[in-house]
Amino acid sequence: MEFNKFRIRSYEGQSDRAQVEILERKCEVGPSESVFLFTDTMGDPICRIRNSPMYMMLVAELDNELVGVIQGSIKVVTVQGHPPKDLAKVGYVLGLRVSRNHRRKGIGSSLVTTLEEWFISNDVDYAYMATEKENHASTNLFINKFHYTKFRTPSILVNPVNHHSFKMSSNIEISRLKIEQAESLYRRFMGSTEFFPNDIGNILKNKLSLGTWMAYFKDDINIGPNGQIPKSWAMLSVWNSGKLVRALCQFVHNMAKENKDDKVKIIVTEVGGRDELNHHIPHWKLLSCPEDLWCIKALKNEGLSINTFHELTKTSPTRALFVDPREV
């Protein structure tokens, strides 16, 4: 597909990888004007979508130069009220980058349009995206031009990995869960959470998953074979006690510090913007984004889908929001 002399096409790994990595490094992202983060894809530009059930990466080419990229993934998630069984197919828009020298030429709009066409061809119910609340260029593009609606404002908390280990509380036990145990707990306690992925088992079994741990007080029972669980407990992404979550975060920090390849420098956590756990998860405010902005758009004009979309965007956010680790 061609727009004003530039061409939108699918990403081709061998021939496009080097140019995409250069473009990523030139396009900084960050929570403030004084701090910039650069995306290092470690030689794999599609690493953020590769583990999704379906994915697509598009590039914009002008005179044999790649001047823009965008990525998208498709999955089935929980959306309350959506037929059937509160499940909907959603498309996630991410990684939109346009070279500084070629902005305001319609390249970003063309990339979004082409990706949405791919969503529609795969029967996607809703498209959604995430950006920083203060990224006015992005919000203007998606909200004003493409008619996305503000949906949720989770927080991204970033904490550097220090050279010293945290001292763990002596009355808290942290145990690693089997994949089957973790999946059972996720479905049991978070199955009705907004955007809970229906393929949670694939996430837990993925080679990039380092495991799932549960924190609980030592004088309580451990998780049992018949579904018994401690009275107070926390595991990655499932919480009901701030003290236990802090211990779990300290444990993850120590695990990162002891990582053999010595490349882990920060720990990133994304939680609901109004979640009380924001006060218990260690993070640096300078690096963190207190209000990441999620926007959503209905891609079908059917009555039930439109009604569900209005309910989704008009109702107050629930306390819990499931953030897919494949998209962080």
Side-chain angles (χ1 to χ4, degrees):
M1 186 177 297
E2 296 188 10
F3 298 88
N4 300 327
K5 297 184 180 180
F6 60 85
R7 183 165 68 104
I8 306 296
R9 60 171 176 80
S10 298
Y11 167 77
E12 298 175 2
Q14 291 187 347
S15 58
D16 294 336
R17 182 180 294 113
Q19 285 199 63
V20 169
E21 289 187 326
I22 292 172
L23 181 59
E24 286 278 5
R25 284 195 292 269
K26 290 181 178 179
C27 297
E28 72 278 356
V29 296
S32 70
E33 294 182 357
S34 59
V35 178
F36 295 106
L37 302 178
F38 296 87
T39 303
D40 186 350
T41 59
M42 306 294 288
D44 184 12
I46 62 172
C47 60
R48 293 183 66 193
I49 56 175
R50 180 182 295 281
N51 296 294
S52 296
M54 296 179 65
Y55 58 87
M56 168 72 75
M57 183 170 182
L58 300 169
V59 299
E61 187 176 40
L62 177 64
D63 297 330
N64 296 320
E65 177 189 0
L66 296 190
V67 295
V69 298
I70 196 171
Q71 301 180 42
S73 62
I74 298 175
K75 61 182 178 180
V76 176
V77 302
T78 296
V79 174
Q80 292 296 331
H82 186 90
K85 300 180 179 180
D86 296 331
L87 295 175
K89 184 179 283 190
V90 297
Y92 182 42
V93 182
L94 69 158
L96 176 59
R97 308 278 189 267
V98 177
S99 172
R100 283 185 174 274
N101 296 331
H102 297 282
R103 292 176 183 174
R104 301 186 180 278
K105 297 180 180 179
I107 294 174
S109 297
S110 300
L111 286 166
V112 173
T113 297
T114 308
L115 186 63
E116 284 189 349
E117 290 173 351
W118 178 68
F119 287 157
I120 293 171
S121 69
N122 284 281
D123 200 33
V124 167
D125 297 295
Y126 309 104
Y128 74 106
M129 50 76 68
T131 188
E132 299 160 36
K133 188 177 180 180
E134 302 303 322
N135 187 338
H136 301 300
S138 181
T139 55
N140 287 338
L141 175 66
F142 283 95
I143 295 176
N144 297 338
K145 184 167 185 176
F146 285 95
H147 309 296
Y148 282 67
T149 300
K150 293 181 181 180
F151 172 52
R152 296 293 180 259
T153 53
S155 299
I156 299 177
L157 309 179
V158 179
N159 195 43
V161 176
N162 300 315
H163 293 294
H164 63 277
S165 297
F166 286 113
K167 183 178 180 181
M168 306 296 294
S169 176
S170 60
N171 68 331
I172 293 178
E173 187 74 38
I174 296 180
S175 300
R176 183 167 186 167
L177 301 181
K178 296 179 180 179
I179 292 177
E180 296 77 14
Q181 292 175 319
E183 181 175 357
S184 175
L185 286 172
Y186 275 115
R187 293 193 183 278
R188 179 177 171 185
F189 291 98
M190 297 198 73
S192 60
T193 300
E194 286 179 342
F195 277 54
F196 179 84
N198 196 43
D199 66 333
I200 183 66
N202 290 336
I203 296 175
L204 298 172
K205 296 172 186 175
N206 191 280
K207 64 181 181 180
L208 296 179
S209 173
L210 299 180
T212 305
W213 283 263
M214 172 180 280
Y216 57 94
F217 294 107
K218 288 186 176 179
D219 58 359
D220 207 340
I221 62 169
N222 194 352
I223 184 170
N226 298 319
Q228 310 99 309
I229 58 174
K231 294 179 180 178
S232 298
W233 58 276
M235 75 174 191
L236 299 183
S237 297
V238 180
W239 322 276
N240 69 354
S241 172
K243 182 176 181 181
L244 290 174
V245 169
R246 179 171 291 275
L248 201 54
C249 289
Q250 292 172 343
F251 170 78
V252 173
H253 171 277
N254 294 347
M255 183 174 67
K257 186 188 75 69
E258 296 168 3
N259 190 281
K260 293 181 179 179
D261 61 17
D262 195 33
K263 293 180 180 179
V264 181
K265 302 300 181 185
I266 62 172
I267 299 169
V268 180
T269 309
E270 188 161 10
V271 298
R274 299 181 181 181
D275 200 316
E276 295 176 0
L277 290 174
N278 281 332
H279 305 296
H280 299 284
I281 297 175
H283 63 280
W284 280 18
K285 291 183 179 180
L286 182 65
L287 297 177
S288 301
C289 178
E291 286 192 322
D292 194 32
L293 180 63
W294 284 23
C295 299
I296 192 168
K297 175 182 180 180
L299 295 181
K300 294 181 178 179
N301 293 320
E302 300 168 0
L304 288 175
S305 294
I306 293 298
N307 291 337
T308 302
F309 174 75
H310 286 311
E311 288 294 323
L312 194 62
T313 56
K314 301 302 181 183
T315 56
S316 300
T318 59
R319 179 173 179 271
L321 176 68
F322 197 98
V323 179
D324 194 325
R326 295 173 295 195
E327 298 169 355
V328 173

